[in-house]
Amino acid sequence: MKTAVPKVDNALPASGFKYLLSQLTLTPILCLLVLTGVLIVVLFAPLLAPHPEAAILTDESFSLPDDTMLLGSDFLGRDVLSRLLFGARVTLSVAFAIAIVAFILGCSLGFFAAVKRGWVDSVLSRSVDALISFPAIMVALIVISSLGSSITVLIVTIALIDATRVYRVARALGMDIVVQDYIEAARVRGEKMGWIIWHEMLPNALAPLAAEFGIRFTYAILFISALSFLGLGVQAPQADLGVMVKENMQGLLYETYTPLYPAVCIAIVTLSVNLLVDWFLKTTDAALPDEL
Amino acid sequence: MTLLRLIVQRLLLGVAILFVVSALIFIGTEILPGDVAQAILGQGATPELLENVRIRLGLHDPAPVRYFRWLGNLLSGNLGTSMVSGADIGQLLGERISNTVMLASATALIAVPLAILLGLLSAIKPNSMTDRAISAVSLSLISLPDFLIAIVLVMVFAVKLGWLPAIANLRPGQDFFTVARMLVLPVTVLVFTVLAHMVRMTRTAVINVLSSPATEMAILKGVPRWRLLLVHALPNALAPIANVVALNLAYLISGIVVVETLFNISGLGRLMVESVTTRDIPVVQVCAIIFCAVYVLLNLLADIVAIVSNPRLRYPK
């Protein structure tokens, strides 16, 4: 478990935002457009959807697209397009919540360990090691088997799994920053630890952390969709992209594309985020600590 | 004797980790809130019925007692019985384990050499066309959910062309050709899901080695390219590559769970998903322990490969 040679200058330059804008090429612009569209869908799904998500509009399963149902009907005769819009809203907001919780937890503990070192660091790092010695999906399945799969359980469990990775990244970045003179100076000034973490460490680790956030977000999307697909994630009456794939799998035998739509929606979002992160890392020349 | 001692040390560490893992699985499934008796009997159970089940399962004993009883039973090969079907778990596992092992090893046999080859190819000349193409494809593959690849493959090869079966109904007594035909699609999906991560990490590992002073020295000495790669770089990259392969087993495990469900393969992953759905805790515990133990042991193996292949690791700084 080695870390890359410390690259200290991870902060965005003062004119960082302008610099990023000047480096925009076709791919990141497309990704940003897609993600803006997705954000609009997440925020305004109930206004955009032509039908309620649970309304059964026809008794025909997997009916072909027509004027009332632009993408046809699903296995129960519900409008696929409306369900896609509502499903994307659920999947993405759950994934976003997971990424946020994982980040707050992982970053604060990671920086805390980097600043405190000693036994605090040892205890935190060994606990993270213990969690990492499980394959992520096993942790999720074990917890779901005893607590069931409510949205809260899903968010907390996956966030906890994700937080271990964020912790390692934040700790590695923090370790490089803590030895800098400006931290020493802040300590000598008598600043409190919270202040140091918030005002000195966080800004200087912002670029790689932003990239890591994107990666965690896509991971959360894929993880929650996989669980929903297994029937262990978001529960059935609610539309969720993974649930939609699962429900409509039988449609494959009737040569419909219905199960493909939600899967493609997931892929479009995750691919856009990953391409954006890739571009961001290259342009800012920020580096994430090596994969573990 | 340092080498042997280090290996023994690692093995002991592995046993310790397995111990912790088993304890955490036990805690996760039994001590978290949620009454096992209630889970078996459902919401409508009468208090007397609940009490009976609790006594029968020994739920009134303190947790450590239950844990060691459970662990002792596991180690002596008594895996217990399913709460839902009452079947012996050992019997439930038998055939399923061999199906899962078959699926996993076929995937590993294809994915590992392929990933190392592609990783090497893109690391030799970073930023070349080949490298960029491989990077772009692997980045896209990482972004795709496992089931998307599966759906597309099934649509094309099973539904449209009708070349391969859409579900893999593995049963004992099928001849090799039938089994192979059924496994083509699931194994392809799994290879895609693990390949991308492995390629990316192998690339990073080899690039790290190639940028070392030792490699630069070899280049300056005028060592031919193939010799540089195979004799100078590869042995040094072996440790990180072994590590990469072991780490990616986590993706393989989650892939297996999804793929078995998708293709209706009667394997360990599907058994576990079904047991989680029906809250059949004893089966969940056994499946989880098997998956986690394999993961821990193979990571340990990668550690040992690293120690053997890299003398520097034998002498801690």
Side-chain angles (χ1 to χ4, degrees), chain B residues 78-295:
Chain B
N78 173 13
L79 302 180
T81 50
S82 154
M83 277 184 186
V84 173
S85 63
D88 181 56
I89 296 179
Q91 251 159 20
L92 277 181
L93 292 182
E95 194 186 301
R96 289 185 169 86
I97 285 191
S98 65
N99 284 343
T100 300
V101 168
M102 187 157 67
L103 199 61
S105 42
T107 308
L109 276 180
I110 299 171
V112 173
L114 197 61
I116 293 177
L117 189 74
L118 290 175
L120 274 176
L121 263 182
S122 55
I124 293 173
K125 266 196 197 165
N127 286 326
S128 64
M129 276 307 279
T130 349
D131 177 35
R132 277 197 224 161
I134 293 176
S135 291
V137 172
S138 58
L139 185 70
S140 325
L141 278 179
I142 286 179
S143 313
L144 303 183
D146 307 347
F147 46 73
L148 176 58
I149 303 168
I151 293 172
V152 171
L153 289 178
V154 166
M155 264 183 168
V156 175
F157 293 101
V159 179
K160 289 264 192 279
L161 298 172
W163 291 350
L164 295 161
I167 55 169
N169 194 2
L170 294 175
R171 271 173 319 218
Q174 286 164 325
D175 63 272
F176 175 77
F177 182 71
T178 323
V179 173
R181 221 171 86 92
M182 286 194 296
L183 283 184
V184 172
L185 285 182
V187 169
T188 316
V189 174
L190 281 177
V191 167
F192 275 126
T193 58
V194 289
L195 194 65
H197 287 99
M198 273 199 230
V199 170
R200 282 169 77 90
M201 287 159 86
T202 308
R203 176 180 178 274
T204 320
V206 176
I207 284 181
N208 274 344
V209 171
L210 284 180
S211 60
S212 71
T215 319
E216 199 177 341
M217 182 66 212
I219 295 174
L220 294 178
K221 261 190 344 193
V223 171
R225 217 181 170 74
W226 64 268
R227 209 181 135 76
L228 179 75
L229 265 181
L230 295 183
V231 181
H232 292 253
L234 201 56
N236 275 312
L238 209 57
I241 289 178
N243 222 344
V244 165
V245 171
L247 277 175
N248 279 295
L249 276 171
Y251 295 104
L252 182 58
I253 289 177
S254 74
I256 279 183
V257 173
V258 171
V259 163
E260 282 184 353
T261 309
L262 226 152
F263 287 97
N264 247 337
I265 297 171
S266 153
L268 215 52
R270 205 175 118 216
L271 178 68
M272 183 155 180
V273 170
E274 284 168 359
S275 317
V276 173
T277 314
T278 55
R279 303 193 126 185
D280 194 345
I281 303 290
V283 184
V284 173
Q285 287 171 334
V286 173
C287 292
I289 258 275
I290 294 175
F291 277 120
C292 294
V294 170
Y295 183 67

Side-chain angles (χ1 to χ4, degrees), chain A residues 1-2 130 132-138 141-148 219 222 225-226 229-230 232 242 245 249 252-253 255-257 259-260 263-264 266-267 270-271 274-275 278 290-292, chain B residues 17 21 24-25 28-29 32-34 139-140 142-145 147-148 151-152 154-155 159-160 201 204 208 247 250-251 253-254 257-258 261-262 272-273 276-277 279 281 284 288 291-292 295-296:
Chain A
M1 254 162 268
K2 61 188 178 47
I132 280 181
S133 60
F134 286 88
I137 186 96
M138 287 297 133
L141 290 183
I142 291 168
V143 173
I144 292 171
S145 75
S146 71
L147 292 183
Y219 184 80
L222 293 177
S225 314
F229 173 77
L230 294 173
L232 301 171
V245 177
M249 274 306 274
L252 277 184
L253 303 175
E255 298 201 26
T256 64
Y257 293 106
L260 200 59
V264 169
I266 296 170
T270 49
L271 193 60
N274 274 342
L275 286 173
D278 206 43
D290 259 0
E291 306 237 15
L292 310 160
Chain B
I17 293 177
V21 164
L24 284 174
I25 290 176
T29 47
L32 283 175
L139 185 70
S140 325
I142 286 179
S143 313
L144 303 183
F147 46 73
L148 176 58
I151 293 172
V152 171
V154 166
M155 264 183 168
V159 179
K160 289 264 192 279
M201 287 159 86
T204 320
N208 274 344
L247 277 175
Y251 295 104
I253 289 177
S254 74
V257 173
V258 171
T261 309
L262 226 152
M272 183 155 180
V273 170
V276 173
T277 314
R279 303 193 126 185
I281 303 290
V284 173
F291 277 120
C292 294
Y295 183 67
V296 168

Side-chain angles (χ1 to χ4, degrees), chain A residues 140-164:
Chain A
L141 290 183
I142 291 168
V143 173
I144 292 171
S145 75
S146 71
L147 292 183
S149 50
S150 66
I151 300 268
T152 330
V153 169
L154 290 173
I155 291 179
V156 172
T157 312
I158 305 176
L160 202 64
I161 297 169
D162 259 12
T164 56

Side-chain angles (χ1 to χ4, degrees), chain B residues 6-48:
Chain B
L6 265 173
I7 291 179
V8 171
Q9 224 172 32
R10 286 298 151 118
L11 286 176
L12 288 178
L13 183 70
V15 173
I17 293 177
L18 279 180
F19 201 68
V20 174
V21 164
S22 73
L24 284 174
I25 290 176
F26 186 81
I27 293 172
T29 47
E30 296 228 343
I31 299 178
L32 283 175
D35 185 350
V36 184
Q38 190 92 57
I40 308 171
L41 296 172
Q43 291 299 330
T46 60
E48 299 87 58

Side-chain angles (χ1 to χ4, degrees), chain A residues 7-14 16 103 107 111 115 170 173-174 176-178 180 182-183 186 189 193-211 280 284 286:
Chain A
K7 183 173 271 189
V8 172
D9 191 23
N10 272 328
L12 287 174
F103 237 71
C107 274
F111 281 148
V115 176
L173 291 169
D176 292 345
I177 295 175
V178 160
Q180 300 297 311
Y182 52 82
I183 300 287
R189 280 205 308 275
M193 196 182 58
W195 192 93
I196 295 180
I197 291 181
W198 186 256
H199 286 96
E200 301 282 7
M201 297 182 69
L202 199 60
N204 282 294
L206 211 52
L209 284 182
F280 180 77
T284 56

